[in-house]
């Protein structure tokens, strides 16, 4: 994230930065991404797709 990179460089060089919630937003997005990856990797399918998959076997 460019915003976080800019803030990080400012802190490293000793500059002052104002309070910001960008880090919390980034962490929340990462948690959401992990949840989505776990859900997708678990083989979860919507009910309609699961029904179509079962009916395709009998064709």
């Amino acid at each position: 994230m460019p915003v976080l990179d800019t803030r990080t460089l400012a802190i490293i060089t000793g500059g002052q930065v104002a309070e910001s919630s960008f880090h919390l937003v980034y962490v929340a997005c990462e948690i959401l991404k992990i949840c989505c990856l776990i859900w997708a990797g678990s083989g979860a399918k919507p009910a309609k797709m699961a029904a179509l998959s079962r009916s395709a076997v009998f064709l």
Side-chain angles (χ1 to χ4, degrees), residues 22-44:
F22 286 122
H23 188 254
L24 293 177
V25 171
Y26 177 78
V27 170
C29 289
E30 287 295 313
I31 290 171
L32 178 62
K33 179 178 80 173
I34 290 169
C35 292
C36 289
L37 288 170
I38 290 171
W39 176 78
S42 70

